[in-house]
Amino acid sequence: MSNDATTAGASGTGQDLHHGTGNIAAFIDHTLLKPEAGEADVLKVCSEAAEYQFKSVCVNPIWVKTVKTALKGSGVLTCSVIGFPLGATPSDVKAFEARGAVLDGADEIDMVINIAAARAGDKGALVDDIRAVAETVHAGGAILKVIIETSLLDDTQKVLACEAAVEAGADFVKTSTGFNGGGATVEDVTLMRRTVGPDLGVKASGGVRSLADAQAMIAAGATRIGASSGIAIVKGEQGSSAY
């Protein structure tokens, strides 16, 4: 279980953020997942993350080594995505991909679930899919966030996916990839927090572009924010990125 999954909500930090930026940067996974992003783009994001002290930099697996090296000594974590953005990859392949990312230096892994299984109400398949990755990730000393892709699920399916993540031993549930339409909503974060209880992390991602957006998500129960507008958020400005 990740420490911030349990302490960020309990500390009252979410309430404090309503009165200013507070330590909002510590909630943010500074994100660059565009397939066309190159090394210069990745290094720029790492520099920004070190400057603003974001929680992590989240990138595609090919950039994990680059990010880990660039962030050395900064205190910023390295995060990568698995089965991204569709989730329609066999579980053993997701586990293999996750193992490679952790070996390359990822501290955190954000995996996409088998969305078809969630829509079909197949909890067993969801648990198996998530557990295969969770066991691999935890064996490497990293933590697992589970992307349920809320925009493609109804509320019953969202609850099922969150319950499966808890049962499979995940550390976080996460709203969205940002690549399949929609994004984080206060309603979804509230539902996810209610479903997983107080001890699991909840990550709101997709469409969080301003301090007000981030504050609303944290107030609803989010303990992490995924955004490529992190700098705008900490400056109290309005970001323009779709993620």
Side-chain angles (χ1 to χ4, degrees):
M1 186 69 63
S2 66
N3 290 335
D4 61 312
T6 56
T7 61
S11 68
T13 305
Q15 286 76 16
D16 294 343
L17 291 171
H18 287 286
H19 305 293
T21 58
N23 195 28
I24 188 69
F27 283 79
I28 295 174
D29 290 343
H30 198 38
T31 302
L32 180 61
L33 295 170
K34 294 178 179 179
E36 71 273 21
E39 184 176 20
D41 303 309
V42 172
L43 292 174
K44 180 175 182 289
V45 166
C46 290
S47 177
E48 292 168 348
E51 178 182 354
Y52 288 92
Q53 283 296 288
F54 293 123
K55 184 67 176 182
S56 82
V57 168
C58 188
V59 292
N60 285 302
I62 59 170
W63 298 114
V64 170
K65 286 183 178 179
T66 301
V67 169
K68 190 69 171 183
T69 300
L71 292 176
K72 185 176 181 180
S74 69
V76 179
L77 300 177
T78 299
C79 176
S80 191
V81 291
I82 297 299
F84 192 89
L86 302 178
T89 307
S91 301
D92 57 347
V93 177
K94 290 181 184 177
F96 180 83
E97 187 181 16
R99 179 176 180 272
V102 172
L103 286 173
D104 282 347
D107 303 294
E108 302 186 340
I109 295 294
D110 291 16
M111 71 166 284
V112 186
I113 62 165
N114 179 340
I115 298 167
R119 288 172 64 99
D122 190 344
K123 186 178 182 181
L126 286 172
V127 171
D128 289 345
D129 185 52
I130 298 165
R131 182 175 286 145
V133 180
E135 290 177 349
T136 299
V137 169
H138 291 155
I143 73 165
L144 179 65
K145 309 190 204 91
V146 174
I147 307 171
I148 69 171
E149 201 65 290
T150 50
S151 64
L152 299 180
L153 306 179
D154 63 26
D155 283 358
T156 299
Q157 294 160 351
K158 293 168 192 173
V159 168
L160 183 76
C162 288
E163 290 175 344
V166 173
E167 187 173 331
D171 302 291
F172 275 77
V173 288
K174 175 180 170 181
T175 59
S176 321
T177 63
F179 282 74
N180 287 312
T185 67
V186 166
E187 292 77 17
D188 283 338
V189 170
T190 300
L191 177 65
M192 293 164 71
R193 171 55 67 203
R194 185 166 65 241
T195 303
V196 302
D199 295 332
L200 218 69
V202 175
K203 179 175 173 178
S205 64
V208 183
R209 304 186 187 98
S210 69
L211 178 61
D213 290 341
Q215 289 172 333
M217 297 302 170
I218 292 166
T223 50
R224 193 76 68 88
I225 302 293
S228 54
S229 297
I231 294 175
I233 291 170
V234 299
K235 287 184 174 181
E237 299 171 354
Q238 179 70 40
S240 58
S241 172
Y243 186 86

